[in-house]
């Protein structure tokens, strides 16, 4: 990870360091197309990053409720609200960040809540194992989640990826 030393003087920089280390798993070990759909690495990594800062489940849940409410309030002002949009449609970093990072993180968190913690952990481990040193597609991720969950998640993912609201 290369970071400017001036940036490291910012107290919030540690969160970025943790995020970039997370990319060693999701998009380096388990590759994905970082252009479309970028939520596959940014959403997963952003969720995992928060587990470092909020190890207590109640704090973690409260954080996500706050993130959800904050983004929900911003949605009317944002454009390109679909996670399925590729990076080329975004005209500002703010819009890209709020959708691909934050909405992506919220969708992955919602998947965790839908599957339950044990199945979600099994899904992440199985996804990592099966697709290590390969390029995983969005369909691969969805199929792996459905396989571990033992039921279809088509409406969940369709709403999360193509909807213009939060999951």
């Amino acid at each position: 990870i290369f970071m400017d030393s001036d940036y490291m003087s910012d107290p919030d920089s540690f969160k970025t360091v943790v995020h970039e280390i997370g990319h060693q798993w999701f998009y380096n070990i388990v590759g994905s197309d970082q252009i479309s759909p970028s939520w596959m690495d940014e959403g997963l990594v952003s969720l995992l990053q928060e587990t470092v800062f909020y190890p207590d489940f109640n704090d973690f849940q409260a954080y996500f409720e706050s993130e959800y409410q904050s983004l929900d309030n911003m949605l009317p002002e944002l454009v390109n609200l679909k996670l399925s949009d590729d990076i080329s449609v975004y005209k500002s970093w703010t819009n890209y960040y709020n959708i691909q990072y934050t909405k992506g993180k919220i969708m992955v968190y919602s998947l965790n809540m839908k599957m339950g913690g044990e199945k979600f952990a099994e899904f992440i481990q199985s996804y990592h194992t099966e697709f290590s040193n390969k390029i995983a597609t969005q369909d691969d991720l969805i199929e792996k989640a459905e396989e571990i969950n033992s039921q279809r998640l088509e409406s969940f993912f369709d709403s999360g990826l193509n909807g213009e609201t939060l999951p």
Side-chain angles (χ1 to χ4, degrees):
I1 298 169
F2 292 97
M3 298 183 86
D4 185 294
S5 60
D6 291 339
Y7 182 76
M8 295 305 295
S9 65
D10 181 343
D12 293 329
S13 65
F14 183 65
K15 202 167 198 174
T16 302
V17 170
V18 169
H19 182 90
E20 296 309 321
I21 289 171
H23 280 304
Q24 302 312 304
W25 285 274
F26 300 110
Y27 66 66
N28 285 340
I29 292 176
V30 176
S32 64
D33 181 344
Q34 300 151 22
I35 305 299
S36 177
S38 56
W39 74 269
M40 283 181 57
D41 58 279
E42 298 303 353
L44 279 166
V45 168
S46 294
L47 175 71
L48 295 176
Q49 155 197 316
E50 300 309 344
T51 65
V52 171
F53 293 94
Y54 300 97
D56 177 76
F57 181 75
N58 291 329
D59 292 342
F60 189 69
Q61 195 166 17
Y63 167 78
F64 270 91
E65 288 172 11
S66 171
E67 284 279 280
Y68 186 98
Q69 192 59 52
S70 178
L71 184 56
D72 194 44
N73 291 339
M74 276 189 253
L75 285 179
E77 301 166 19
L78 300 173
V79 294
N80 306 103
L81 303 176
K82 297 177 184 178
L83 284 172
S84 59
D85 285 338
D86 74 47
I87 196 171
S88 68
V89 303
Y90 295 97
K91 304 302 180 214
S92 76
W93 166 250
T94 300
N95 202 102
Y96 176 74
Y97 178 85
N98 282 308
I99 300 305
Q100 296 298 321
Y101 285 66
T102 306
K103 185 179 179 186
K105 171 176 56 177
I106 289 170
M107 187 181 79
V108 176
Y109 174 72
S110 298
L111 179 63
N112 181 0
M113 298 306 290
K114 185 170 188 62
M115 293 178 80
E118 285 184 31
K119 281 196 175 195
F120 183 78
E122 182 183 347
F123 154 65
I124 291 294
Q125 183 177 17
S126 182
Y127 177 70
H128 178 267
T129 300
E130 184 169 336
F131 294 102
S132 286
N133 302 310
K134 299 176 185 169
I135 304 294
T137 66
Q138 182 172 278
D139 289 342
D140 292 332
L141 183 140
I142 292 168
E143 287 170 14
K144 181 53 67 178
E146 290 178 335
E147 174 189 319
I148 299 301
N149 197 47
S150 301
Q151 61 180 292
R152 303 279 300 158
L153 295 167
E154 185 175 348
S155 63
F156 172 83
F157 280 106
D158 184 52
S159 172
L161 296 172
N162 301 310
E164 295 191 353
T165 59
L166 296 178

